[in-house]
Every structure is written in C-alpha cells, then in structure tokens.
Amino acid sequence: MKKKTKQNIIMLLIVLILVLVPFVVAKGGSFAGSDDEGTAQIKKNDPHYKVWIHPLWTPPSAEIESLLFTVQGSFGTGVIAYILGSAHGRKKERARQIHTQNEAGKARTETSAANGR
Amino acid sequence: MKKVFKKHMVPKVSAIIGLCSLLFFALYPRDAYAMHIMEGMLPPKWCIFWFAVSAPFFIYGLYRMKKIVTSTTQNAKIMLALCGAFVFVLSSLKLPSVTGSCSHPTGVGLGTVMFGPGVMAVLGVIVLLFQALLLAHGGLTTLGANCFSMTIVGPFVGFAVYKICRAFKVNRSVSLFLCAVLADWSTYVTTSFQLAVVFPDPTNGVGGAVIKFLGIYAVTQIPLAIAEGFLTVIIYNLVISNNLWKETALG
C-alpha cells in the first residue's frame, strides 16, 4: 500500500474513534444541540430578554430536518467525489497514454534498428 | 527516514492529547448546546453591528474570488467548488462530543490554505444562508454575527497559524492540520464572546459569562476540531495525489 494511503486510513480511524468515544465517556449526556437549551442558557443570564424574531420557516419535524441536513451533506460529498474521481481517472489515463507511447517508441526504434541492419 | 518518522508522530501525539482531554471531560459530563447563534437571540442593534463588521470582509472575499476565477492557476475553479463542498459536508455533520452534546465542524481550513482567508467569507455565507433558510439553524438576523465567527475570524486565525507554522518550517500536513483545528475552534470561541457581551452574567458580568459560554461552546468543540483537522488533511492528500493542485501553489 502507498504511504499516503496508509496515512489517510490511519487518520480516518482516528476520526472514527473521536466520534465514537463520546458515547462511552459521556454516558449521561443527552447529545442534544437544541435551540431550546440555548435559549435557556441565555435566559439564565438575562431573564427579561425577549426573542424578537423567529425563523421564516422551520422544518416541520425532526425527520424533515435530518432529511435536509442529509441533502446538504450528500450534495457536498457528491461534488467532492466527482472532482476527485474524475481527476483520478484523468491521472490513470495519462499514465496509460505515456505507457503506450513508450511501448510504441520502443517498437519503432527496434524496427528501425532492424531495417538499418 | 526522518520525514517518515515525523509524519507518523503527528497522529500519535494528537491521539495522546485527545486521550488526556477525554480523561478530563470524563469527570465532568454535562449537557450543553453548541451551535451557531439562533434567530432572534441577538438584539437588533447587535445584529446590525455584526452585519456592518462582516460586510467589508464579504466584499473583499468577492473581489478575491473574482481574481481567482479569472486567474490562470490550474484547476482554480474546480478547487473552489471542492472547498465550498467541503464546508457543506462538514457543517452538515452534527457530531457527538465528550461533553455529552452535539456540535458541527466548520470546514473552512481547506479553502483558507488554498485561497487565503478572504474567499471563505463568500463560501461560508452560502452555507450559513442555506442552513438559516431551510434548516432554521442559525438565522437571518444573526447571519452577520455567525459570518463573523465562522467565515472571518476562523479563516483569518487559521491562515495566520498556517503562515507561522510554515515560517518555522513545520511540515505542510501538520501546518494544515493545525490551521483547520484552530480555525474551527476559534469560531466557537468567538461565538462565546459574542454572546457573553450581549448577555453578561448577572453576578460576574461579561467575564463570568465568557467563561460560561466558553465552557459550553469551546470545550465541546475541541474533539470535533481535531477530527476536522484530520479530515482536512485527508482531503488535501487526495487532492495532491490526484494532481488536482500543485503543492507549491499553496505558498
């Protein structure tokens, strides 16, 4: 395996560990990130603060929200995968062309050598 | 040989740091939230203030972007798209943290290193707008403040870190890693300050509030920032190994 590939896999594993470890470490946590909790924290500091504007549109349910987050993520992943994939293909194609050119060049020198004799 | 050794040291050292911080957090699990500033959570005058602060950076970003798009640098436009897509992906990943709450990375480090800090102001705003309009995550009135933390402070801090690391001849991957980690982390530190100034602690004032908000935002973000650093280096490695971008173009 190439050194870079190995490096990438190691780093990916570390990311995986970083994501999984919280479930072991913070067992009591709710893993929420909700707006209500945020509001509560600010309310604690300033009980008189009034939320003066609300979002124009809120996803009707947690399912719809996760759908939209998934759309966002997969859109980005698609773009990245396309760019990297096409570049990878181009690189392979170029390597193949150089290879065949070299083969052709070798054959030509061989034939010209044979003709010269 | 020495170079190989160094490269393998990076994940090891980070893993040790990560484990140490985990031990610390294990003793203090608590609930927290860590996200962008929500709609309506800043008074109108602060919203206007942050819009005014962010606007010049956004315009500078547009100017930089136009220059990049019209430049002859190979694959410049494609890489711009890739950096934008990277921000899209990373800011959609709400990851669990050791504090028992969730937050998401920002993904601005990659574009910062490739194109400089200005461009991220534009790419970041697209993502923030998407989330504010469709996901009720962040907000339109707080867009200025969220822009300032995620697309201005983050990239500028990351860029400074990268430049300093390179000046000290630190390995390129390590510099990029640190750039991404600190760009991410400083975003949430900024958010803490932005909230603390508006909502000072009743007894301890702004200082007390800063500590409280830092405890919520910045602490949760530490492991996520490290994860983002690794993901950024992985994508960067793939970009380089597929001849999409010349390493020397990064300066």
Side-chain angles (χ1 to χ4, degrees):
Chain A
M1 208 189 300
K2 266 195 274 177
K3 204 180 77 199
K4 280 270 173 188
T5 317
K6 219 169 167 182
Q7 216 186 24
N8 284 347
I9 290 172
I10 291 169
M11 285 192 287
L12 214 56
L13 284 175
I14 294 172
V15 171
L16 207 65
I17 291 165
L18 277 170
V19 173
L20 291 178
V21 154
F23 295 115
V24 183
V25 172
K27 266 200 183 123
S30 60
F31 294 104
S34 82
D35 330 357
D36 301 334
E37 273 176 79
T39 316
Q41 177 64 35
I42 286 166
K43 279 268 157 69
K44 227 188 272 171
N45 282 1
D46 184 359
H48 303 295
Y49 184 74
K50 258 209 173 108
V51 179
W52 59 283
I53 189 164
H54 291 280
L56 293 175
W57 184 78
T58 318
S61 74
E63 278 71 23
I64 303 297
E65 191 183 340
S66 73
L67 164 75
L68 287 166
F69 263 109
T70 313
V71 168
Q72 184 194 335
S74 43
F75 169 75
T77 315
V79 172
I80 293 174
Y82 172 77
I83 293 174
L84 288 177
S86 69
H88 188 72
R90 242 179 296 144
K91 185 184 156 199
K92 267 198 162 162
E93 176 63 19
R94 211 175 302 139
R96 199 184 60 82
Q97 270 177 3
I98 290 168
H99 185 74
T100 49
Q101 257 171 25
N102 285 349
E103 292 277 285
K106 223 185 276 169
R108 215 176 298 130
T109 47
E110 265 166 25
T111 47
S112 62
N115 288 345
R117 214 183 292 146
Chain B
M1 192 63 205
K2 210 177 164 193
K3 215 171 177 188
V4 175
F5 174 70
K6 261 191 192 161
K7 270 188 183 159
H8 283 268
M9 278 303 281
V10 182
K12 271 185 202 159
V13 170
S14 332
I16 291 165
I17 295 170
L19 279 175
C20 291
S21 41
L22 283 185
L23 279 176
F24 170 73
F25 297 134
L27 304 170
Y28 304 99
R30 58 192 140 175
D31 289 346
Y33 70 101
M35 292 279 159
H36 299 304
I37 302 172
M38 304 309 294
E39 188 82 282
M41 293 320 289
L42 283 183
K45 61 172 185 190
W46 279 102
C47 296
I48 296 165
F49 172 76
W50 288 118
F51 268 109
V53 172
S54 302
F57 290 95
F58 182 74
I59 293 163
Y60 170 70
L62 282 177
Y63 164 77
R64 285 280 307 155
M65 207 149 163
K66 200 184 153 207
K67 262 197 144 173
I68 288 162
V69 170
T70 53
S71 78
T72 52
T73 315
Q74 200 199 353
N75 290 333
K77 269 176 268 185
I78 295 172
M79 292 320 294
L80 211 55
L82 186 125
C83 292
F86 190 66
V87 179
F88 251 78
V89 176
L90 282 206
S91 55
S92 78
L93 295 175
K94 288 200 236 176
L95 300 171
S97 177
V98 284
T99 52
S101 67
C102 281
S103 183
H104 62 77
T106 61
V108 293
L110 188 71
T112 301
V113 164
M114 285 188 178
F115 298 111
V119 174
M120 293 323 289
V122 182
L123 294 180
V125 167
I126 299 169
V127 178
L128 285 174
L129 261 179
F130 179 91
Q131 295 197 327
L133 285 173
L134 292 177
L135 295 161
H137 181 71
L140 287 179
T141 55
T142 53
L143 188 67
N146 288 331
C147 269
F148 184 74
S149 60
M150 178 173 144
T151 70
I152 295 165
V153 172
F156 273 91
V157 167
F159 194 67
V161 168
Y162 184 76
K163 282 288 167 199
I164 292 167
C165 284
R166 292 303 290 156
F168 281 103
K169 304 249 181 310
V170 177
N171 171 300
R172 208 181 287 270
S173 301
V174 179
S175 311
L176 177 62
F177 173 79
L178 289 174
C179 162
V181 170
L182 288 167
D184 179 320
W185 197 64
S186 62
T187 298
Y188 287 85
V189 171
T190 310
T191 306
S192 310
F193 275 93
Q194 284 173 327
L195 283 176
V197 170
V198 183
F199 303 103
D201 196 85
T203 45
N204 298 323
V206 176
V210 166
I211 292 166
K212 234 180 218 166
F213 281 116
L214 276 178
I216 292 164
Y217 279 97
V219 173
T220 302
Q221 201 63 24
I222 291 169
L224 302 191
I226 295 169
E228 169 172 353
F230 285 119
L231 287 174
T232 307
V233 177
I234 291 172
I235 291 290
Y236 175 75
N237 279 347
L238 288 172
V239 164
I240 296 296
S241 67
N242 286 308
N243 301 330
L244 269 169
W245 191 256
K246 285 190 190 72
E247 239 172 321
T248 45
L250 297 172

